[in-house]
């Protein structure tokens, strides 16, 4: 099973211009290249793929303004996200169709997409020779660069842009140079988290995992990646609150907050929240990174990146990508493992404690590599509820996309959209696709299925490079998720939870923590 290595390397990158804005079953795809005027074909590796019928992409966008508004209301309120896609698959008898994606008017000038909703068609979104990723991190709209210091940060850059490679290499450096601190800082910080949860549980009868997780996640990231404890700086305890507010101003058009439907749709989905309202909060975060990211900023100088651009990219990667990922993934992991019940808990506790004892009582990368069930549980969580469910790419040229059942011509310039849970829960790839199967990725056959785990903007079997858009912190995320499970079952035999929903995933409360007895 793939290890969570944190060793990165890439060629030396010459100095580049800044990207500042002064205003404001087997399915992996094989791409057949073409130099003619004919469409390029994104085809599965199966030899039968050439026999698939060529079909016109079904669906339409409706009348201007009316069609996008109708689809937005259905997506958020009348149907809900999953049912929105399921109903259209049934209507069109196709997992590839045309539809408008939120937010639409007046936030996104063009909401029209070609939806790819199965494991066969989805991987074309990873092929940057066929699709462009410029300014598509949040989909059909891009938040104001006033929210990122005036820069188009790495997540919004296409690999063809000159600053993409050096900025991604900078993140590789940050992760690699601090790898020695990750495990001890995680155990220190999340050990304190569980102490806090135990105290709250004893006092109130239940404990909110999400709030404690936010505090621990930011402290851990600052201590492990920057070597700085936020409590000892002017930022104090306010980091998570500032980040959450800042993220809302970027993702508001894609979220629901539980307000009355039409009021929420008007204020959150129809207009952008003014960046000026969080400028002071963002500046406080930026000041923290200016003061704390010295070695990484020195590396930026060597890579030809201005220190100012580096600060805003490191801030975004740490606060939006890493903190945001832990804010969504960790409650999801606790939810799925908690729901699985005491039998799985016992198996995990036995495996984890035995492996740690066999490695001299130390929690290490080596020890975690000998925990196949624990690793499978993490991958299964990433499969069944990927923390970033939406992917986008704009066709660079005419191409043909294949689903399981048909081929479809896409024209150059059209937006492709994928809803990842439908690809990673494709019943034609995974047995019991809608179920959480803890041991799904155990053994040779299980490990072979990792190519269909796509949470990182690429298959789990592939690695991030300066040439692709796969998450720079892919291995880091897997590692910290594994450590959460390890820390949990070193301390407890079992636990019980209550689950609700939140704007960014699941809300989890601990109702029981049964201390380790062996």
């Amino acid at each position: 099973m793939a290890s969570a290595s944190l060793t990165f390397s890439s060629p030396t990158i010459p100095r580049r211009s800044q990207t500042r804005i002064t205003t404001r079953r087997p399915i992996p795809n094989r791409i057949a290249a073409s130099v003619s005027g004919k469409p390029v074909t994104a085809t599965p590796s199966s030899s039968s793929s050439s026999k698939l019928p060529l079909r016109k992409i079904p669906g339409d966008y409706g009348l201007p303004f009316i069609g996008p508004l109708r689809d937005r209301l259905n997506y958020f309120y009348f149907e809900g996200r999953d049912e929105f896609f399921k109903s259209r698959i049934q209507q069109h008898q196709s997992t590839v169709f045309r539809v408008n994606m939120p937010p639409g008017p007046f936030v996104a000038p063009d909401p029209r997409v070609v939806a790819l909703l199965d494991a066969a068609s989805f991987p074309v979104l990873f092929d940057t020779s066929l699709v462009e990723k410029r300014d598509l991190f949040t989909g059909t709209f891009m938040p104001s660069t006033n929210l990122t210091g005036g820069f188009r940060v790495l997540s919004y850059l296409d690999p063809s842009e000159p600053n993409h490679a050096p900025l991604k290499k900078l993140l590789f450096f940050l992760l690699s140079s601090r790898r020695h601190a990750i495990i001890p800082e995680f155990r220190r910080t999340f050990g304190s988290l569980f102490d806090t949860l135990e105290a709250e549980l004893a006092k109130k009868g239940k404990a909110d995992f999400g709030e404690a997780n936010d505090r621990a996640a930011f402290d851990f990231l600052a201590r492990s990646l920057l070597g700085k404890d936020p409590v000892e700086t002017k930022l104090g305890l306010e980091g998570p609150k500032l980040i959450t507010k800042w993220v809302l101003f970027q993702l508001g058009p894609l979220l629901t907050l539980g307000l009355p439907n039409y009021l929420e749709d008007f204020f959150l989905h129809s207009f952008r929240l003014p960046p000026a309202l969080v400028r002071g909060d963002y500046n406080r975060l930026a000041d923290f990174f200016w003061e704390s990211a010295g070695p990484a900023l020195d590396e930026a100088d060597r890579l030809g990146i201005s220190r100012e651009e580096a600060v805003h990219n490191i801030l975004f990667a740490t606060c939006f990508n890493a903190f945001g990922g832990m804010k969504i993934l960790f409650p999801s992991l606790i939810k799925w493992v908690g729901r699985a019940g005491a039998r799985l808990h016992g198996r995990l506790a036995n495996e984890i404690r035995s492996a740690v004892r066999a490695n001299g009582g130390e929690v290490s990368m080596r020890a975690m590599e000998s925990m196949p069930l624990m690793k499978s549980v993490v991958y299964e969580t990433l499969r069944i509820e990927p923390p970033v469910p939406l992917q986008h790419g704009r066709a660079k040229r005419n191409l043909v996309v294949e689903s399981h059942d048909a081929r479809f011509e896409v024209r150059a310039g059209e937006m492709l959209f994928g809803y990842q849970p439908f690809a990673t829960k494709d019943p034609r790839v995974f047995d019991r696709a809608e179920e959480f199967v803890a041991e799904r990725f155990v053994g040779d056959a299980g490990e072979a299925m990792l190519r269909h785990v796509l949470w990182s903007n690429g298959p789990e079997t592939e690695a991030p490079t300066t040439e692709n858009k796969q998450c720079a912190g892919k291995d880091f995320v897997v590692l910290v998720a594994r450590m959460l499970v390890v820390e949990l079952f070193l301390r407890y035999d079992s636990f019980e939870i209550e689950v609700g929903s939140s704007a960014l995933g699941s809300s989890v409360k601990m109702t029981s923590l049964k201390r380790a007895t062996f």
Side-chain angles (χ1 to χ4, degrees), residues 132 134 157-164 396:
E132 183 181 69
R134 185 188 303 257
L157 301 183
D158 186 77
S160 64
E161 296 184 71
N163 248 27
H164 180 275
K396 289 183 174 179

Side-chain angles (χ1 to χ4, degrees), residues 6 20 22 78 103 117 134 137 179 191 201-202 216 218 237 265 298 318 366 383 386 394 418 435 480 489 502:
L6 290 173
R20 183 167 190 144
T22 54
F78 302 148
L117 300 180
R134 185 188 303 257
F137 181 61
R179 62 187 180 275
L201 187 59
F218 184 68
L237 298 173
D265 193 67
D298 293 340
T318 304
R366 180 178 178 181
R383 178 197 74 85
R394 191 174 298 281
E435 298 179 35
V480 295
F489 287 104
S502 72

Side-chain angles (χ1 to χ4, degrees), residues 57 61 98 110 112-114 125 130-132 136 392-399 408-417:
I57 300 175
Y61 304 114
R98 298 185 183 279
D110 188 356
R112 299 172 298 172
V113 303
V114 176
L125 291 162
L130 294 180
V131 298
E132 183 181 69
L136 299 182
H392 299 77
R394 191 174 298 281
K396 289 183 174 179
R397 66 197 80 171
N398 296 345
L399 56 91
F408 303 89
E409 289 188 347
V410 174
R411 309 304 297 177
E414 288 194 289
M415 177 81 82
L416 298 172
F417 157 80

Side-chain angles (χ1 to χ4, degrees), residues 61-289:
Y61 304 114
L63 295 174
F65 187 81
I66 300 298
L69 181 60
R70 176 200 62 204
D71 284 343
R72 184 172 80 200
L73 293 174
N74 284 329
Y75 179 90
F76 284 121
Y77 306 113
F78 302 148
E79 295 177 271
R81 185 164 62 182
D82 282 19
E83 187 57 36
F84 178 84
F85 295 125
K86 288 177 182 177
S87 64
R88 283 151 184 79
I89 290 173
Q90 290 297 318
Q91 176 188 348
H92 302 305
Q93 290 297 293
S94 174
T95 52
V96 177
F97 53 84
R98 298 185 183 279
V99 70
N100 298 293
M101 277 301 294
F106 299 97
V107 176
D110 188 356
R112 299 172 298 172
V113 303
V114 176
L116 312 176
L117 300 180
D118 63 23
S121 59
F122 189 90
V124 71
L125 291 162
F126 306 145
D127 190 330
T128 54
S129 71
L130 294 180
V131 298
E132 183 181 69
K133 295 285 192 172
R134 185 188 303 257
D135 297 338
L136 299 182
F137 181 61
T138 46
T140 57
F141 79 104
M142 178 182 169
S144 170
T145 56
N146 289 329
L147 292 165
T148 50
F151 292 92
R152 291 173 58 239
V153 293
L154 177 63
S155 292
Y156 292 96
L157 301 183
D158 186 77
S160 64
E161 296 184 71
N163 248 27
H164 180 275
L167 285 171
K168 198 164 187 180
K169 189 177 181 185
L170 176 64
L171 298 188
F172 289 162
F173 168 83
L174 180 65
L175 290 164
S176 181
S177 65
R178 296 290 302 174
R179 62 187 180 275
H180 64 280
I182 292 171
I183 292 177
E185 288 295 350
F186 189 94
R187 300 208 66 199
R188 170 190 171 193
T189 308
F190 279 81
S192 296
L193 172 143
F194 286 118
D195 289 340
T196 300
L197 292 179
E198 285 186 34
E200 185 178 349
L201 187 59
K203 183 178 180 180
K204 301 179 180 179
K206 62 179 65 175
D208 187 346
F209 177 80
E211 184 177 348
N213 179 61
D214 286 358
R215 170 80 268 141
F218 184 68
D219 286 351
F220 160 69
L221 290 167
R223 292 168 180 170
S224 62
L225 298 181
L226 304 175
K228 182 72 71 172
D229 191 333
V231 177
E232 299 173 354
T233 72
K234 295 178 182 178
L235 199 58
L237 298 173
E238 296 189 73
K241 179 184 69 175
L242 300 179
I243 295 168
T244 300
K245 184 178 176 182
W246 170 65
V247 169
L248 172 64
F249 274 64
Q250 296 175 76
L251 297 184
L254 301 176
L255 302 178
T256 56
L257 303 180
L259 303 174
N261 291 356
Y262 290 102
L263 185 66
E264 180 179 80
D265 193 67
F266 181 78
F267 286 106
L268 200 61
H269 304 145
S270 300
F271 304 98
R272 297 172 186 255
L273 296 171
L277 296 180
V278 290
R279 183 177 298 129
D281 296 335
Y282 182 77
N283 288 341
R284 289 185 63 192
L285 290 170
D287 288 344
F288 172 76
F289 281 87

Side-chain angles (χ1 to χ4, degrees), residues 208-211 327-328 331-332 335 339 385 497-510:
D208 187 346
F209 177 80
E211 184 177 348
K327 183 180 179 70
I328 297 170
S332 176
K335 176 185 76 174
R339 284 176 169 175
E385 193 171 10
I497 57 172
E498 288 181 358
V499 178
S501 60
S502 72
L504 292 173
S506 299
S507 170
V508 176
K509 288 183 169 56
M510 316 295 290

